[in-house]
Amino acid sequence: MLKIIKRITGRAKKELTKITKYLRFHGYHNLQVLRKTLRKGHKSDHIIICGPDLRGSSILHDVIRNCTSSINFSSKKNISALDTQSLFKKSILTYEPTDLFSVNEIDDLLSKFRNLKFIVIIRDPRSLLTEVHPDIPWQYFQSWDYGFYIEPNQSFTRPGVGKAFNEIERLKEAGKFQFKIIRYEDFLEKPDDIQDEISEFADIEFSKSFSDCLTNTDKFDNTNFGFIQKKTDQISKAWKSTEHAERLNRLSKLFPDILEYIKKHNYPIDEKVNDQVRTDTNINNGTLVAMHTPDKVYTNEAKRMRASLDRLGIKHSVDELPGVDKIAGVEDPENYPDWFIQKLARYYKPTWLRKKRQQIRGALLYCDVDAFIHKNPWEYLHLYEGDMAVFSRRNGDINSGTIWINDTEGAKDFLKLWEKKCLEKRAEIFKSWPNVKPSPSDQVILTEIVIENNNLARYKIQRLPPSMLHIFPFDGSFNEDIYIEHLQASRVAKSKVSQGTRLLKKERDRRIIELEDLF
């Protein structure tokens, strides 16, 4: 830093010197506080609220904040305990629902100078599985396997309700962490009893009662707790409605351990509600569709895909396309290099999908032809009722390798829009020859349309879980939850390959041998 300062003159040098001194002082000060704390044998108290109930963890955090003045730091927004390493306060309160899955990391990072206490807030699994978020009214917010991250592009990759309850059991068996489980229903029905339990567990002195906080809104941080309590109480009982019965029935068949956790956490089994569940869930499966060019590489991929589908008895339509020059829409392809024809051809997917949507009735599931189908995906996809469903990564990028397409007018209109934008981009690229610039792929265009639709809500575009699009080997090792595994043929089909690609090809070849042994 000092070497950089020597090269800077004038006012900028003075400002940078101030910043450097500030950083040095505060870094030194925090280090001294930490050393003094450890020398005396004292640790900061850090209460970490987490768990599968996102709404409940947020409200409990806010109620605790408003009912005590003994906590030195508490954020108004959710913040992971992992992001508080530089805080040196006597007592800290944070909440981040997914901290439940980072308990070991939090313990390794902070336990040397903090007394960590985890409050895990749960709710009836049936209530969590039937909750809808206002930003995504066309899809349930959580499932047993995965749930939503709202930002940046509604990604269905958050660990779901079942994974949270499994993690709670693992932590209980480990027996090395201080944590307390609180049922959100108990917090609403007997808040003062829960307050006493938290006070004893976390050694907090409260100046106001939870019940007072929840009923006398104006006194507390301008937060309408009374409305929140009433609204959340309605939500927690909404699962008993007949409109959710079929979903709960399907989920219980897919994930039998739901009932186990309902009983384990002392939630009642309502026989009258169970009688409302429709038992006729044998909806006809849809058709899996795929396409491939007539070259040797992708023809072999198509054979393997058909074999994996026939093995499971899944109805399919795997089409061989004309040559690349045909689908590129170029009348005289001999006048252009291969890379340019390939660039134009990649915009053909929505055109082909629109035609398949016209030809076949019922829901469609598109998969890239290099995919291997491990389990019948229709058992899971019966949970979907929108126009289409796509997979969005945590960073917001859409991957078009697996797309669910319902037999609706909305789906047809969406495909027409995607096709229109792709054809416009293809025409723009063709017109620019030979001064061709980098351009977005059909997948990037799809992402742009989906993001725009998040605000306009013209179409019901739902999100698929990672189990429908597991990319080998980048998404980690295979597990039994995976339905569809993509084998990345495009990365090894190129004429010029790097050292990294050659290594990937070896891994891929080994994986293909393992998969073909299943036939």
Side-chain angles (χ1 to χ4, degrees):
M1 179 68 78
L2 290 175
K3 289 181 180 179
I4 296 173
I5 291 175
K6 288 178 181 178
R7 299 176 189 172
I8 302 174
T9 58
R11 186 174 180 181
K13 180 177 180 179
K14 291 181 180 179
E15 293 299 320
L16 192 54
T17 303
K18 288 181 182 179
I19 293 171
T20 305
K21 289 181 178 179
Y22 176 86
L23 291 174
R24 278 183 170 178
F25 169 77
H26 284 276
Y28 176 77
H29 175 71
N30 286 341
L31 183 60
Q32 290 300 100
V33 171
L34 176 58
R35 284 175 176 169
K36 189 181 294 184
T37 299
L38 293 176
R39 194 180 300 121
K40 290 182 177 180
H42 297 309
K43 290 185 176 182
S44 300
D45 291 320
H46 188 167
I47 302 162
I48 301 163
I49 300 176
C50 56
D53 189 352
L54 279 65
R55 180 187 295 268
S57 61
S58 172
I59 296 174
L60 178 61
H61 168 269
D62 290 345
V63 169
I64 292 175
R65 284 182 69 245
N66 281 280
C67 290
T68 182
S69 57
S70 63
I71 293 175
N72 300 117
F73 173 84
S74 60
S75 172
K76 290 187 177 181
K77 296 183 179 180
N78 58 311
I79 179 174
S80 172
L82 293 169
D83 297 327
T84 66
Q85 186 180 10
S86 60
L87 278 175
F88 295 94
K89 301 290 184 180
K90 185 178 179 181
S91 56
I92 300 168
L93 172 68
T94 59
Y95 87 96
E96 168 51 55
T98 56
D99 273 355
L100 175 64
F101 302 96
S102 305
V103 170
N104 287 325
E105 292 87 343
I106 293 170
D107 184 69
D108 291 341
L109 183 67
L110 303 176
S111 62
K112 290 182 180 179
F113 54 95
R114 288 187 194 166
N115 184 23
L116 303 174
K117 295 185 178 181
F118 296 88
I119 297 179
V120 181
I121 187 157
I122 65 171
R123 202 196 312 169
D124 188 324
R126 293 163 294 191
S127 174
L128 294 171
L129 292 169
T130 52
E131 188 171 3
V132 177
H133 193 283
D135 289 347
I136 38 174
W138 46 78
Q139 186 169 354
Y140 289 96
F141 186 64
Q142 294 194 86
S143 190
W144 194 246
D145 51 350
Y146 291 98
F148 268 99
Y149 290 108
I150 300 299
E151 299 295 340
N153 186 18
Q154 300 178 2
S155 174
F156 197 59
T157 55
R158 179 194 289 270
V161 177
K163 293 183 179 181
F165 278 100
N166 287 336
E167 186 65 10
I168 291 170
E169 291 304 307
R170 187 191 70 80
L171 294 173
K172 285 169 63 177
E173 291 175 4
K176 59 178 289 190
F177 306 106
Q178 297 185 76
F179 78 101
K180 182 173 185 59
I181 299 173
I182 292 178
R183 300 195 326 169
Y184 187 58
E185 293 83 355
D186 296 337
F187 170 63
L188 290 181
E189 293 172 8
K190 44 185 181 181
D192 292 339
D193 291 345
I194 296 300
Q195 183 175 16
D196 291 340
E197 292 180 19
I198 292 175
S199 177
E200 181 179 355
F201 169 72
D203 195 22
I204 301 176
E205 293 184 6
F206 290 104
S207 56
K208 309 176 185 72
S209 70
F210 281 9
S211 59
D212 195 21
C213 181
L214 289 168
T215 54
N216 296 288
T217 300
D218 296 338
K219 297 181 182 180
F220 301 99
D221 202 23
N222 296 318
T223 303
N224 195 338
F225 285 115
F227 170 78
I228 290 172
Q229 182 190 28
K230 182 178 179 181
K231 183 72 174 176
T232 309
D233 189 43
Q234 293 172 351
I235 291 171
S236 66
K237 297 175 181 177
W239 67 267
K240 296 183 179 182
S241 169
T242 54
E243 68 178 291
H244 302 306
E246 185 173 312
R247 169 177 170 78
L248 291 174
N249 190 34
R250 292 191 183 284
L251 283 170
S252 65
K253 289 183 177 181
L254 280 169
F255 308 104
D257 51 340
I258 292 177
L259 184 60
E260 173 190 340
Y261 282 113
I262 290 172
K263 293 178 178 178
K264 184 172 289 186
H265 292 280
N266 299 317
Y267 288 106
I269 303 297
D270 193 332
E271 297 299 334
K272 292 182 179 179
V273 174
N274 288 344
D275 291 341
Q276 297 173 356
V277 176
R278 285 177 281 170
T279 57
D280 183 17
T281 57
N282 295 317
I283 299 175
N284 291 330
N285 291 339
T287 305
L288 190 145
V289 297
M291 60 177 176
H292 68 96
T293 49
D295 56 89
K296 182 178 179 181
V297 171
Y298 285 102
T299 298
N300 287 334
E301 298 296 321
K303 288 179 181 178
R304 188 185 313 110
M305 169 180 266
R306 291 190 185 97
S308 73
L309 293 167
D310 291 340
R311 164 176 159 265
L312 298 171
I314 297 174
K315 184 167 58 174
H316 58 80
S317 176
V318 182
D319 294 353
E320 181 178 298
L321 301 176
V324 174
D325 55 336
K326 298 291 185 182
I327 63 176
V330 180
E331 295 181 358
D332 48 351
E334 65 278 0
N335 295 330
Y336 303 93
D338 289 343
W339 67 264
F340 184 66
I341 300 299
Q342 292 280 355
K343 189 178 185 71
L344 297 175
R346 66 180 178 172
Y347 295 102
Y348 183 70
K349 181 186 287 186
T351 298
W352 180 82
L353 284 174
R354 177 185 58 77
K355 292 178 180 178
K356 297 302 287 186
R357 180 64 287 170
Q358 291 175 337
Q359 295 169 3
I360 302 174
R361 295 277 63 81
L364 303 178
L365 181 65
Y366 167 80
C367 289
D368 285 347
V369 77
D370 62 354
F372 188 92
I373 316 303
H374 289 277
K375 298 190 295 183
N376 189 339
W378 293 109
E379 297 173 357
Y380 190 98
L381 293 172
H382 284 329
L383 295 168
Y384 287 79
E385 298 177 341
D387 294 320
M388 293 177 60
V390 295
F391 175 68
S392 174
R393 294 200 173 277
R394 180 68 182 92
N395 64 2
D397 291 341
I398 301 291
N399 189 308
S400 61
T402 303
I403 306 174
W404 176 80
I405 307 168
N406 206 359
D407 195 353
T408 63
E409 292 303 315
K412 295 173 185 176
D413 290 343
F414 184 94
L415 291 173
K416 289 177 183 177
L417 176 61
W418 186 18
E419 178 188 27
K420 176 177 178 291
K421 289 184 176 293
C422 281
L423 291 178
E424 289 173 350
K425 180 55 64 176
R426 189 176 75 178
E428 179 185 319
I429 294 170
F430 184 75
K431 188 177 180 180
S432 70
W433 175 261
N435 301 313
V436 182
K437 297 180 180 179
S439 56
S441 65
D442 64 308
Q443 189 166 265
V444 173
I445 293 173
L446 175 63
T447 300
E448 292 171 351
I449 298 173
V450 170
I451 291 175
E452 181 182 28
N453 188 70
N454 290 346
N455 298 320
L456 300 177
R458 293 172 58 190
Y459 313 103
K460 294 180 180 178
I461 308 300
Q462 298 176 301
R463 299 296 188 271
L464 294 170
S467 55
M468 291 291 170
L469 205 156
H470 178 86
I471 298 179
F472 173 86
F474 304 108
D475 289 340
S477 57
F478 177 80
N479 63 72
E480 62 182 11
D481 295 334
I482 294 169
Y483 286 89
I484 301 170
E485 181 178 5
H486 289 255
L487 298 171
Q488 295 286 285
S490 62
R491 291 180 179 266
V492 299
K494 300 174 182 177
S495 56
K496 295 182 180 180
V497 295
S498 64
Q499 177 65 24
T501 303
R502 283 192 287 271
L503 293 174
L504 173 61
K505 186 178 185 304
K506 288 183 179 180
E507 287 188 63
R508 184 177 184 275
D509 290 343
R510 285 195 294 267
R511 181 59 178 156
I512 287 173
I513 292 172
E514 293 174 355
L515 294 174
E516 291 183 346
D517 283 344
L518 299 174
F519 300 145

